[in-house]
Amino acid sequence: MNRHRTGLLLTLFIILAALTTGIPATAASSSTTVVESLDRAAHPLRTVEPGGDTGDLRPLDRMIGQARVVGLGEATHGSHDFFALKDRVFRHLVEEKGFRTFALEAPWSTGARLNDYVVHGKGDPRRVMREEFQRDYLWWNNTDYLRLVEWMRAYNVRHPDDPVRFMADDIAWTGPELYDAVEAYAAGARPELSARLAELYRGLRPTVQTGAYIEQYLRLPYAEREERAERTGEALRLLAGRAPGSDRRQAYDLALQQARVIDQTARQYAFDFEDPAQIAAAMRYRDGAMAANVVWWQRHTGTKVLLSAHNNHVGYVPEEPAANPKVQGAFLRESLGAGYVSVGLTFDRGSFNATGPDDELIRRWTLGPADPAGNERTLDRVRYRDHLLDLRSVGAPADGWLRRARPTRSIGTAYPDGPHDIALARNYDVLIHLHRVEASTLRDR
């Protein structure tokens, strides 16, 4: 067969492939090359389920390097496979890379309650999760995170001198325990502040559970929300006014952080939610506060942290810059430099839990294969069903493909949501792609 005839047949094959897949002929030719390039860079992922051999995660160890904080994302807030994978990755990093903290996109005081169980065996994690994971956080009250928390406690029983820890970085709620802790510290170390702190915190300490508290706070008049933030800010400044000697520095640092978190919650609500620009400023504030809390924890505990959050919070580029101008991953990169590594997650098809667009009813949504024009369709053509990619070292031509924005599934607490135009290599350092995901099992529903 002569060269001209071979070239003609190849061209006809590409056109035929384009007609049957709905992809333009030029894109089909280019996509094949991109897939081959991704094939060379991909590492297979054996399973998302914790337990058993973790040799398939060793490439991830190299990708993480010496990072002190690793952000591990999720493309939905309601898929078992993302939560199970985080459990598996954390266990592996504890054993192989010396990680000792699991951080969750949940309120700081919630993390403190779960940490009391993980480290000291105090309380019942089922009750804590039921009471704390409400409204915006109900997605975390699932069987996968309960299994992770129970594994962490079991690990600490075996390793009491080198414990793993649980922390949370979010700010929509601060439980009464933190108010009690700040006032108890002041009573012992700065008694002259006690009366003023009690006055400033008057009426702020929650008397209802998480979901009801958030609802009540959102209904307060804007002026009242501003006034509350003024009071928490003054309390923080009073406590920060005089640092003690080194012998009491650790207790002071913790009390100051607890007062800071109380202030973060009040300031999160001290924006005018009728003004789109103010809403965007509130979103930026939240991501900045979450990042600051993670950095504080990492520096004061000295532990390596696996941070669990949505893709849009672990990455570097916001999905919707007008609505959320700067995300947690960008703040963490500013603070930690190469000490922070971002790992995004994608999926081609499957199910997840989310509310509908106009109601509070939680539904199980199921999606078929991703859009041919989206990132996931090409990722799903890689030779491994599930795989890992170091986006910083992928060769040509996939390196250029990864830096161009195209539709990508990124679903929050309600659906429909997205897809959003995302350039994978500009947003994450590492990517884990799953062929199929299944909805998580929510507890207490």
Side-chain angles (χ1 to χ4, degrees), residues 210-229:
T210 311
Y213 178 85
I214 294 173
E215 291 286 349
Q216 291 175 7
Y217 217 134
L218 287 169
R219 288 196 294 266
L220 291 175
Y222 175 43
E224 186 172 345
R225 288 184 274 119
E226 281 191 308
E227 186 269 339
R228 288 186 171 203

PDB file of all heavy atoms in Angstrom, residues 210-229:
ATOM      1  N   THR A 210     -26.317  23.777  65.545  1.00  0.00           N
ATOM      2  CA  THR A 210     -25.660  24.434  64.417  1.00  0.00           C
ATOM      3  C   THR A 210     -26.622  24.981  63.362  1.00  0.00           C
ATOM      4  O   THR A 210     -26.561  26.158  62.999  1.00  0.00           O
ATOM      5  CB  THR A 210     -24.694  23.443  63.743  1.00  0.00           C
ATOM      6  OG1 THR A 210     -23.878  22.835  64.729  1.00  0.00           O
ATOM      7  CG2 THR A 210     -23.834  24.133  62.708  1.00  0.00           C
ATOM      8  N   GLY A 211     -27.498  24.122  62.853  1.00  0.00           N
ATOM      9  CA  GLY A 211     -28.373  24.540  61.762  1.00  0.00           C
ATOM     10  C   GLY A 211     -29.270  25.688  62.145  1.00  0.00           C
ATOM     11  O   GLY A 211     -29.412  26.679  61.404  1.00  0.00           O
ATOM     12  N   ALA A 212     -29.897  25.596  63.328  1.00  0.00           N
ATOM     13  CA  ALA A 212     -30.792  26.659  63.786  1.00  0.00           C
ATOM     14  C   ALA A 212     -30.027  27.947  64.040  1.00  0.00           C
ATOM     15  O   ALA A 212     -30.518  29.049  63.750  1.00  0.00           O
ATOM     16  CB  ALA A 212     -31.520  26.216  65.054  1.00  0.00           C
ATOM     17  N   TYR A 213     -28.809  27.833  64.571  1.00  0.00           N
ATOM     18  CA  TYR A 213     -27.998  29.023  64.840  1.00  0.00           C
ATOM     19  C   TYR A 213     -27.681  29.778  63.550  1.00  0.00           C
ATOM     20  O   TYR A 213     -27.809  31.009  63.491  1.00  0.00           O
ATOM     21  CB  TYR A 213     -26.703  28.608  65.538  1.00  0.00           C
ATOM     22  CG  TYR A 213     -25.758  29.751  65.831  1.00  0.00           C
ATOM     23  CD1 TYR A 213     -25.896  30.505  66.981  1.00  0.00           C
ATOM     24  CD2 TYR A 213     -24.716  30.060  64.958  1.00  0.00           C
ATOM     25  CE1 TYR A 213     -25.020  31.553  67.262  1.00  0.00           C
ATOM     26  CE2 TYR A 213     -23.837  31.097  65.223  1.00  0.00           C
ATOM     27  CZ  TYR A 213     -23.993  31.840  66.377  1.00  0.00           C
ATOM     28  OH  TYR A 213     -23.120  32.870  66.639  1.00  0.00           O
ATOM     29  N   ILE A 214     -27.275  29.041  62.519  1.00  0.00           N
ATOM     30  CA  ILE A 214     -26.951  29.687  61.245  1.00  0.00           C
ATOM     31  C   ILE A 214     -28.190  30.364  60.669  1.00  0.00           C
ATOM     32  O   ILE A 214     -28.133  31.506  60.189  1.00  0.00           O
ATOM     33  CB  ILE A 214     -26.369  28.658  60.257  1.00  0.00           C
ATOM     34  CG1 ILE A 214     -25.005  28.151  60.762  1.00  0.00           C
ATOM     35  CG2 ILE A 214     -26.222  29.257  58.862  1.00  0.00           C
ATOM     36  CD1 ILE A 214     -24.432  27.009  59.947  1.00  0.00           C
ATOM     37  N   GLU A 215     -29.322  29.689  60.718  1.00  0.00           N
ATOM     38  CA  GLU A 215     -30.568  30.275  60.209  1.00  0.00           C
ATOM     39  C   GLU A 215     -30.909  31.555  60.958  1.00  0.00           C
ATOM     40  O   GLU A 215     -31.288  32.572  60.359  1.00  0.00           O
ATOM     41  CB  GLU A 215     -31.707  29.261  60.340  1.00  0.00           C
ATOM     42  CG  GLU A 215     -31.608  28.062  59.415  1.00  0.00           C
ATOM     43  CD  GLU A 215     -31.940  28.404  57.970  1.00  0.00           C
ATOM     44  OE1 GLU A 215     -32.449  29.515  57.721  1.00  0.00           O
ATOM     45  OE2 GLU A 215     -31.686  27.553  57.091  1.00  0.00           O
ATOM     46  N   GLN A 216     -30.812  31.519  62.285  1.00  0.00           N
ATOM     47  CA  GLN A 216     -31.141  32.700  63.088  1.00  0.00           C
ATOM     48  C   GLN A 216     -30.197  33.856  62.787  1.00  0.00           C
ATOM     49  O   GLN A 216     -30.631  35.010  62.686  1.00  0.00           O
ATOM     50  CB  GLN A 216     -31.092  32.339  64.567  1.00  0.00           C
ATOM     51  CG  GLN A 216     -32.197  31.404  65.021  1.00  0.00           C
ATOM     52  CD  GLN A 216     -32.044  30.983  66.474  1.00  0.00           C
ATOM     53  OE1 GLN A 216     -31.180  31.488  67.195  1.00  0.00           O
ATOM     54  NE2 GLN A 216     -32.873  30.046  66.914  1.00  0.00           N
ATOM     55  N   TYR A 217     -28.921  33.548  62.649  1.00  0.00           N
ATOM     56  CA  TYR A 217     -27.928  34.601  62.390  1.00  0.00           C
ATOM     57  C   TYR A 217     -28.198  35.276  61.041  1.00  0.00           C
ATOM     58  O   TYR A 217     -28.122  36.499  60.906  1.00  0.00           O
ATOM     59  CB  TYR A 217     -26.526  34.005  62.408  1.00  0.00           C
ATOM     60  CG  TYR A 217     -25.479  34.917  63.024  1.00  0.00           C
ATOM     61  CD1 TYR A 217     -24.562  34.428  63.941  1.00  0.00           C
ATOM     62  CD2 TYR A 217     -25.393  36.259  62.684  1.00  0.00           C
ATOM     63  CE1 TYR A 217     -23.592  35.247  64.506  1.00  0.00           C
ATOM     64  CE2 TYR A 217     -24.425  37.080  63.236  1.00  0.00           C
ATOM     65  CZ  TYR A 217     -23.528  36.582  64.156  1.00  0.00           C
ATOM     66  OH  TYR A 217     -22.576  37.388  64.702  1.00  0.00           O
ATOM     67  N   LEU A 218     -28.527  34.481  60.039  1.00  0.00           N
ATOM     68  CA  LEU A 218     -28.778  35.029  58.705  1.00  0.00           C
ATOM     69  C   LEU A 218     -30.002  35.946  58.681  1.00  0.00           C
ATOM     70  O   LEU A 218     -30.110  36.826  57.821  1.00  0.00           O
ATOM     71  CB  LEU A 218     -28.952  33.888  57.698  1.00  0.00           C
ATOM     72  CG  LEU A 218     -27.680  33.130  57.314  1.00  0.00           C
ATOM     73  CD1 LEU A 218     -28.026  31.870  56.540  1.00  0.00           C
ATOM     74  CD2 LEU A 218     -26.742  34.024  56.506  1.00  0.00           C
ATOM     75  N   ARG A 219     -30.925  35.733  59.617  1.00  0.00           N
ATOM     76  CA  ARG A 219     -32.135  36.560  59.651  1.00  0.00           C
ATOM     77  C   ARG A 219     -31.958  37.855  60.439  1.00  0.00           C
ATOM     78  O   ARG A 219     -32.839  38.712  60.422  1.00  0.00           O
ATOM     79  CB  ARG A 219     -33.294  35.752  60.241  1.00  0.00           C
ATOM     80  CG  ARG A 219     -33.822  34.659  59.313  1.00  0.00           C
ATOM     81  CD  ARG A 219     -35.189  34.161  59.758  1.00  0.00           C
ATOM     82  NE  ARG A 219     -35.131  33.490  61.042  1.00  0.00           N
ATOM     83  CZ  ARG A 219     -34.990  32.175  61.189  1.00  0.00           C
ATOM     84  NH1 ARG A 219     -34.872  31.397  60.117  1.00  0.00           N
ATOM     85  NH2 ARG A 219     -34.969  31.632  62.399  1.00  0.00           N
ATOM     86  N   LEU A 220     -30.833  38.006  61.123  1.00  0.00           N
ATOM     87  CA  LEU A 220     -30.611  39.231  61.894  1.00  0.00           C
ATOM     88  C   LEU A 220     -30.453  40.432  60.962  1.00  0.00           C
ATOM     89  O   LEU A 220     -29.890  40.309  59.864  1.00  0.00           O
ATOM     90  CB  LEU A 220     -29.355  39.095  62.751  1.00  0.00           C
ATOM     91  CG  LEU A 220     -29.404  38.110  63.921  1.00  0.00           C
ATOM     92  CD1 LEU A 220     -28.025  38.019  64.566  1.00  0.00           C
ATOM     93  CD2 LEU A 220     -30.453  38.528  64.936  1.00  0.00           C
ATOM     94  N   PRO A 221     -30.901  41.623  61.385  1.00  0.00           N
ATOM     95  CA  PRO A 221     -30.673  42.834  60.572  1.00  0.00           C
ATOM     96  C   PRO A 221     -29.176  43.078  60.378  1.00  0.00           C
ATOM     97  O   PRO A 221     -28.358  42.744  61.247  1.00  0.00           O
ATOM     98  CB  PRO A 221     -31.316  43.941  61.411  1.00  0.00           C
ATOM     99  CG  PRO A 221     -32.281  43.236  62.315  1.00  0.00           C
ATOM    100  CD  PRO A 221     -31.686  41.898  62.594  1.00  0.00           C
ATOM    101  N   TYR A 222     -28.854  43.666  59.248  1.00  0.00           N
ATOM    102  CA  TYR A 222     -27.450  43.927  58.904  1.00  0.00           C
ATOM    103  C   TYR A 222     -26.755  44.727  59.997  1.00  0.00           C
ATOM    104  O   TYR A 222     -25.621  44.409  60.398  1.00  0.00           O
ATOM    105  CB  TYR A 222     -27.407  44.661  57.559  1.00  0.00           C
ATOM    106  CG  TYR A 222     -26.042  45.103  57.108  1.00  0.00           C
ATOM    107  CD1 TYR A 222     -24.935  44.269  57.229  1.00  0.00           C
ATOM    108  CD2 TYR A 222     -25.855  46.368  56.541  1.00  0.00           C
ATOM    109  CE1 TYR A 222     -23.688  44.674  56.790  1.00  0.00           C
ATOM    110  CE2 TYR A 222     -24.611  46.776  56.107  1.00  0.00           C
ATOM    111  CZ  TYR A 222     -23.527  45.931  56.232  1.00  0.00           C
ATOM    112  OH  TYR A 222     -22.297  46.338  55.813  1.00  0.00           O
ATOM    113  N   ALA A 223     -27.406  45.751  60.544  1.00  0.00           N
ATOM    114  CA  ALA A 223     -26.789  46.591  61.568  1.00  0.00           C
ATOM    115  C   ALA A 223     -26.454  45.782  62.816  1.00  0.00           C
ATOM    116  O   ALA A 223     -25.408  45.991  63.448  1.00  0.00           O
ATOM    117  CB  ALA A 223     -27.717  47.748  61.929  1.00  0.00           C
ATOM    118  N   GLU A 224     -27.305  44.849  63.168  1.00  0.00           N
ATOM    119  CA  GLU A 224     -27.034  44.016  64.348  1.00  0.00           C
ATOM    120  C   GLU A 224     -25.872  43.075  64.085  1.00  0.00           C
ATOM    121  O   GLU A 224     -25.046  42.819  64.979  1.00  0.00           O
ATOM    122  CB  GLU A 224     -28.284  43.238  64.732  1.00  0.00           C
ATOM    123  CG  GLU A 224     -28.121  42.456  66.032  1.00  0.00           C
ATOM    124  CD  GLU A 224     -29.419  41.837  66.524  1.00  0.00           C
ATOM    125  OE1 GLU A 224     -30.492  42.240  66.018  1.00  0.00           O
ATOM    126  OE2 GLU A 224     -29.346  40.955  67.394  1.00  0.00           O
ATOM    127  N   ARG A 225     -25.771  42.547  62.887  1.00  0.00           N
ATOM    128  CA  ARG A 225     -24.644  41.678  62.558  1.00  0.00           C
ATOM    129  C   ARG A 225     -23.332  42.459  62.590  1.00  0.00           C
ATOM    130  O   ARG A 225     -22.299  41.943  63.043  1.00  0.00           O
ATOM    131  CB  ARG A 225     -24.866  41.032  61.188  1.00  0.00           C
ATOM    132  CG  ARG A 225     -25.950  39.965  61.216  1.00  0.00           C
ATOM    133  CD  ARG A 225     -26.104  39.252  59.879  1.00  0.00           C
ATOM    134  NE  ARG A 225     -26.989  39.962  58.971  1.00  0.00           N
ATOM    135  CZ  ARG A 225     -26.651  40.447  57.797  1.00  0.00           C
ATOM    136  NH1 ARG A 225     -25.399  40.311  57.356  1.00  0.00           N
ATOM    137  NH2 ARG A 225     -27.532  41.059  57.031  1.00  0.00           N
ATOM    138  N   GLU A 226     -23.371  43.705  62.127  1.00  0.00           N
ATOM    139  CA  GLU A 226     -22.179  44.555  62.199  1.00  0.00           C
ATOM    140  C   GLU A 226     -21.771  44.818  63.647  1.00  0.00           C
ATOM    141  O   GLU A 226     -20.577  44.765  63.984  1.00  0.00           O
ATOM    142  CB  GLU A 226     -22.451  45.888  61.493  1.00  0.00           C
ATOM    143  CG  GLU A 226     -22.365  45.852  59.985  1.00  0.00           C
ATOM    144  CD  GLU A 226     -22.388  47.246  59.396  1.00  0.00           C
ATOM    145  OE1 GLU A 226     -23.301  48.020  59.746  1.00  0.00           O
ATOM    146  OE2 GLU A 226     -21.489  47.573  58.601  1.00  0.00           O
ATOM    147  N   GLU A 227     -22.766  45.097  64.481  1.00  0.00           N
ATOM    148  CA  GLU A 227     -22.487  45.411  65.886  1.00  0.00           C
ATOM    149  C   GLU A 227     -21.874  44.202  66.591  1.00  0.00           C
ATOM    150  O   GLU A 227     -20.965  44.345  67.420  1.00  0.00           O
ATOM    151  CB  GLU A 227     -23.793  45.845  66.564  1.00  0.00           C
ATOM    152  CG  GLU A 227     -23.629  46.350  67.993  1.00  0.00           C
ATOM    153  CD  GLU A 227     -23.765  45.235  69.033  1.00  0.00           C
ATOM    154  OE1 GLU A 227     -24.363  44.176  68.703  1.00  0.00           O
ATOM    155  OE2 GLU A 227     -23.248  45.408  70.155  1.00  0.00           O
ATOM    156  N   ARG A 228     -22.330  43.021  66.274  1.00  0.00           N
ATOM    157  CA  ARG A 228     -21.758  41.815  66.872  1.00  0.00           C
ATOM    158  C   ARG A 228     -20.290  41.656  66.490  1.00  0.00           C
ATOM    159  O   ARG A 228     -19.457  41.278  67.319  1.00  0.00           O
ATOM    160  CB  ARG A 228     -22.552  40.588  66.431  1.00  0.00           C
ATOM    161  CG  ARG A 228     -23.931  40.477  67.070  1.00  0.00           C
ATOM    162  CD  ARG A 228     -24.600  39.170  66.705  1.00  0.00           C
ATOM    163  NE  ARG A 228     -25.831  38.962  67.469  1.00  0.00           N
ATOM    164  CZ  ARG A 228     -26.379  37.775  67.702  1.00  0.00           C
ATOM    165  NH1 ARG A 228     -25.814  36.683  67.212  1.00  0.00           N
ATOM    166  NH2 ARG A 228     -27.477  37.670  68.412  1.00  0.00           N
ATOM    167  N   ALA A 229     -19.966  41.926  65.226  1.00  0.00           N
ATOM    168  CA  ALA A 229     -18.574  41.824  64.780  1.00  0.00           C
ATOM    169  C   ALA A 229     -17.697  42.868  65.461  1.00  0.00           C
ATOM    170  O   ALA A 229     -16.518  42.608  65.750  1.00  0.00           O
ATOM    171  CB  ALA A 229     -18.497  41.973  63.262  1.00  0.00           C
TER     172      ALA A 229
END
